[in-house]
Amino acid sequence: MVQVKSLVKYFPIRGGILQRTVAQVKAVDDVSFNIKRGETLGLVGESGCGKTTVGRTLLRLIPATSGKVIFEGRDVFSLTGPDLKAIRRDMQIIFQDPYSSLDPRMPIGESVGEGLLVHGMRDSKKRNDIVMEMLKRVGLEDYHARRYPHEFSGGQRQRIGIARALALRPKFIVCDEPVSALDVSIQSQVLNLLKDLQREFGLTYLFIAHNLSVVEHISDRVGVMYLGKMVELTDRETLFRDPLHPYTKALLSAIPIPDPTIKRERIILQGEVPSPINPPSGCRFHPRCPVAIDRCKVDDPPFEELKPGHLVACHVAKQQVEEEKRLMA
Amino acid sequence: MSSVAPAAAKGARVAGKANAGSDRSDLMLDVQGLKTYFYTEDGVVKAVDGVDLKVKRGETVGIVGESGCGKSVTSLSIMRLVGAPGKIVEGRIIFDGTNLLELPEKEMTQIRGNRISMVFQQPTTCLNPVFKIGDQIAEVLNIHQSLGKEAGWKRAIELLRMVGIPEPQKRVHAYPHEISGGQAQRVMIAMALACAPELLIADEPTTALDVTIQAQILDLMRDLRDKTGTSIMLITHDLGVIAEMCERVVVMYAGQVVEEADVYTLFARPLHPYTQGLIGSIPVLGKVREHLDVIPGTVPNLLNPPPGCRFEPRCQACQGAARERCKVETPPLREVEPNHWVRCWMYEK
């Protein structure tokens, strides 16, 4: 359904009196993946790894530096005018912060219905019917439509954001950290709702989050990003049971498990994520990688399919997989 | 053990008081019936409403709960840092035998940052942006240990090395904006440990950090605890962090303690419906379920909390007649099995 090919997004840093570009933040650097119809692709990574930028560029909310996004056979970046408007109807987004993504001076019924108006539904009665239906579907009441955002709690606001995204009956929704601002008991309500709605409306999700447990819960396949690159992508079970990239392994072992009886061997990564302005040479993870070899310092590993349906960008993992194959043969 | 009627002992521990005197020596902190209210224009917000809490020497106690449950206000009350319109209206905070609430401000200043210190959630906002890191650590040492500037800076370098900051003799000259969030949290910990406190209160110390950095900080805290024997009160909303760090856990809801047990018991056999719901509602890595448990509704407004049990409007544990009592009467926190305390009428014998 969605094909992302070599997506690149650099943000220029301007300086000096002439405001010339002095450097570039390489937020997303050559990322490719596909999303199948009806599935949820999870995208995880730490802050600054470019996962949010991927979501926004592929919806064309910010222009890409280069690369291609194909949505149902159409090239999203080359569309203009009515074609672009039509495709925007099919692709929606749910934002992280339910506090700043709703207009504080607009009753929430209008916020939810605004997209319908933009897309040409002039009939206010019809619009109102859809708004009411959507509000009910996300667990709110009719009378809530006349209220303003400040009258709602964080969880309720996130429901409003979901209702707004759903009002246009999209096919594809980018969920950008939809539950990270919420308390755990509210988080589970919203996650369950997203799952139910997916089944009901046949939605496809790109689910962006930094919380791996949440991503594991909701996704069919998961992609892991590090410093603007995709480092591993495979189905959920394989990623969590048998990860190949050393970064994924470290990330998984760093998560505190809410069970005091489990004692695990923990991989603690040294140092911090380097700056995307001046990323390390070769493999971007090599300065923190516990298994890096000399080759990693100079040679950027390609993102390739090492096992069926399991894409990894790592020299060491590739050697290991090849070794395994030789032993098997 | 006790003959006090539950209604009269509302909000207080009913049993287990008899031996409180004998083990006082190994109690570092004993909070009794703490009430901290905020007098706002809209009315009185009962943010902390009758909290009892004990921390033994060398023990790590976790306080878990959602936003607005009063866990942070409890810690600020212990430090006596609650500002207007908030006020501690009732209770005792016994630290090593002294009631902190009766101390004059001058003596409290000698305890704060010296014998009890605190690490906050937002490390970058807690450091003063116009002073070098070294100055800020040396200031603590100057106030509490009368260390001069040179000696203070020397000690600051040692502390930075202890918390794992690379090249401490260089970093000590850095300003807060020059270091990352994870490093700033290390600096905060260095500052908190500067005077070798007997009690460290850590309020969501890793919430603002990425998971790999969180793992580093938790590792550091465990390491320092084992080396120094400091008691830790760890406040968090993350049950994973609790399971990993703590020996005993206190669960708070809407300004009250609803359950308290050792960490193994709490995760294996949670008794309060809120604790059960909380544990069931988090996705656990490696254990995929089709649906997560849900606690319906939202946290009550503490301006006007439910008259009976505060969890009653969201509780799914029982129906019908059994529920009537919950609606009108607040259950006391009682010891339903040895060292396992629960605030719920279901366990009334």
Side-chain angles (χ1 to χ4, degrees), chain A residues 11-158:
Chain A
F11 291 101
I13 299 171
R14 293 182 199 281
I17 36 169
L18 295 172
Q19 291 297 299
R20 266 189 296 224
T21 304
V22 291
Q24 279 177 325
V25 177
K26 295 174 180 163
V28 176
D29 204 357
D30 195 5
V31 166
S32 305
F33 58 90
N34 297 328
I35 307 173
K36 295 174 206 151
R37 193 175 297 277
E39 82 166 346
T40 301
L41 178 72
L43 209 52
V44 292
E46 297 179 275
S47 32
C49 72
K51 52 193 192 301
T52 296
T53 311
V54 167
R56 301 210 168 157
T57 37
L58 81 83
L59 291 182
R60 233 179 123 170
L61 294 179
I62 43 177
T65 306
S66 68
K68 238 181 186 177
V69 173
I70 315 282
F71 179 78
E72 294 193 309
R74 283 166 297 174
D75 182 350
V76 177
F77 294 161
S78 65
L79 292 177
T80 49
D83 290 339
L84 179 62
K85 200 169 167 183
I87 208 165
R88 288 224 153 122
R89 212 184 154 138
D90 289 338
M91 305 162 80
Q92 290 290 323
I93 184 164
I94 300 167
F95 294 100
Q96 168 172 7
D97 185 356
Y99 293 90
S100 60
S101 58
L102 290 169
D103 186 337
R105 291 170 302 181
M106 209 185 245
I108 61 112
E110 268 181 51
S111 284
V112 173
E114 197 182 12
L116 294 166
L117 186 65
V118 170
H119 284 279
M121 190 182 280
R122 292 275 158 78
D123 183 346
S124 72
K125 169 121 194 359
K126 234 160 124 191
R127 221 164 53 218
N128 198 38
D129 287 347
I130 295 181
V131 169
M132 292 306 170
E133 191 197 325
M134 285 304 148
L135 287 181
K136 197 173 283 168
R137 192 57 204 83
V138 297
L140 296 169
E141 305 290 335
D142 284 2
Y143 65 86
H144 283 136
R146 288 187 303 275
R147 297 205 173 164
Y148 289 87
H150 73 267
E151 297 174 76
F152 294 94
S153 68
Q156 283 176 317
R157 286 182 210 211
Q158 202 52 287

Side-chain angles (χ1 to χ4, degrees), chain B residues 71-79 81 112-114 116-121 126 185 188-189 191-193 197 199-203 233 235:
Chain B
K71 52 193 195 302
S72 291
V73 177
T74 303
S75 64
L76 290 175
S77 303
I78 294 170
M79 294 290 269
L81 287 174
R112 205 185 285 133
N114 187 19
I116 309 180
S117 55
M118 195 157 173
V119 176
F120 296 91
Q121 176 173 354
C126 292
Q185 196 58 289
M188 287 296 296
I189 292 175
M191 218 189 270
L193 295 177
L199 175 66
L200 176 69
I201 302 176
D203 188 356
M233 193 169 123
I235 297 163

Side-chain angles (χ1 to χ4, degrees), chain A residues 46-47 183 185 189 266 269, chain B residues 66-67 210 212 216 244 295:
Chain A
E46 297 179 275
S47 32
D183 266 322
S185 75
Q189 294 174 1
R266 183 182 290 284
L269 290 179
Chain B
E66 297 178 276
S67 28
D210 271 320
T212 59
Q216 292 174 358
E244 211 163 272
I295 304 175

Side-chain angles (χ1 to χ4, degrees), chain B residues 318-334:
Chain B
C318 51
Q319 304 297 330
R323 193 106 178 204
E324 292 309 311
R325 188 172 190 188
C326 310
K327 285 187 180 148
V328 290
E329 213 178 326
T330 310
L333 186 66
R334 51 174 59 240

Side-chain angles (χ1 to χ4, degrees), chain A residues 245-246 280-301 313-319:
Chain A
H245 199 283
S281 62
C283 172
R284 292 185 174 189
F285 184 56
H286 88 258
R288 300 176 79 195
C289 183
V291 296
I293 52 176
D294 285 344
R295 188 179 171 195
C296 304
K297 289 180 192 154
V298 285
D299 198 359
D300 191 12
C314 177
H315 296 306
V316 180
K318 191 177 179 185
Q319 279 178 7

